[in-house]
């Protein structure tokens, strides 16, 4: 699976060919740094890694009097990796929800029926997590553990419930798009 910066940049490049500088400016405009701290140096180094792995290809272009710039395009191998990473982010529960947020941003690269199937699977994964957490909480309430430990596990259940609301909202949006 791709790293969080890799998936984010891949998704942006998949939408349209872009240069590294253009990507950093788009990240600023999108205010991504409010929910994912990615530096300009990380953008440049991640692009180099993706290019070295042949997930993206760079070509030089010149527009008028502007200096030459390298514009990156996702390769077919890269698109497969991006799709696999999106699937992985939807089918795994991670309490660091950044990976899921990035994957959800670029979900539209998949066919609609596949998005619906993926969201339904996500809901199943979340339901299993919630049941497991509830069982754990029931057992812990009978122990001598600090209430703060139990409260923290309750917080995990809250995160799963929020993720469930979000996945259901996305599912409704996709289905209403008919």
């Amino acid at each position: 699976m791709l790293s969080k910066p890799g998936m984010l940049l891949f998704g942006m490049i998949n939408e349209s060919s872009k240069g590294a500088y253009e990507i950093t400016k788009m990240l600023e405009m999108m205010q991504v740094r409010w929910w994912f701290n990615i530096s300009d140096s990380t953008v440049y180094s991640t692009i180099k890694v993706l290019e070295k792995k042949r997930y993206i290809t760079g070509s030089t272009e010149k527009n008028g009097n502007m200096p030459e710039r390298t514009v990156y395009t996702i390769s077919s191998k890269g698109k497969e990796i991006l799709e696999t990473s999106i699937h992985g982010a939807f089918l795994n529960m991670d309490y660091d929800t950044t990976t899921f947020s990035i994957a959800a941003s670029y979900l539209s690269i998949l066919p609609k029926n596949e998005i619906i199937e993926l969201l339904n699977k996500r809901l199943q994964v979340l339901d299993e997590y919630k049941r497991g957490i509830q069982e754990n909480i029931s057992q812990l309430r009978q122990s001598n553990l600090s209430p703060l430990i139990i409260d923290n596990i309750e917080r995990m259940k809250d995160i799963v419930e929020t993720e469930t609301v979000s996945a259901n909202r996305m599912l409704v949006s996709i289905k209403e798009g008919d």
Side-chain angles (χ1 to χ4, degrees), residues 13 18 63 67 75 165:
I13 294 169
K18 292 174 183 57
N63 289 333
S75 68
V165 168

Side-chain angles (χ1 to χ4, degrees), residues 9-20:
L9 300 184
F10 248 173
M12 294 176 79
I13 294 169
N14 185 63
E15 288 180 335
S16 67
S17 299
K18 292 174 183 57

Side-chain angles (χ1 to χ4, degrees), residues 47-139:
I47 285 173
K48 290 301 171 197
V49 168
L50 296 175
E51 188 175 32
K52 187 176 181 179
K53 291 181 176 183
R54 296 195 167 125
Y55 295 162
I56 60 174
T57 56
S59 59
T60 306
E61 69 176 37
K62 183 162 176 52
N63 289 333
N65 292 333
M66 300 296 291
E68 285 187 348
R69 69 183 191 129
T70 304
V71 177
Y72 298 95
T73 306
I74 194 166
S75 68
S76 56
K77 181 179 179 183
K79 187 162 180 144
E80 287 176 28
I81 296 295
L82 177 58
E83 289 178 7
T84 300
S85 294
I86 289 171
H87 278 262
F90 269 73
L91 300 177
N92 293 305
M93 175 56 201
D94 188 345
Y95 290 100
D96 172 3
T97 60
T98 306
T99 302
F100 178 79
S101 295
I102 293 168
S105 296
Y106 300 108
L107 194 57
S108 62
I109 72 163
L110 302 173
K112 185 176 180 175
N113 63 327
E114 195 172 327
I115 295 171
I116 291 170
E117 181 182 335
L118 202 52
L119 283 165
N120 282 321
K121 287 180 181 177
R122 172 83 175 163
L123 288 168
Q124 290 171 353
V125 167
L126 293 170
D127 189 52
E128 289 173 24
Y129 263 83
K130 184 177 173 184
R131 276 197 311 267
I133 292 168
Q134 287 171 324
E135 288 173 16
N136 192 9
I137 291 169
S138 296
Q139 293 170 1

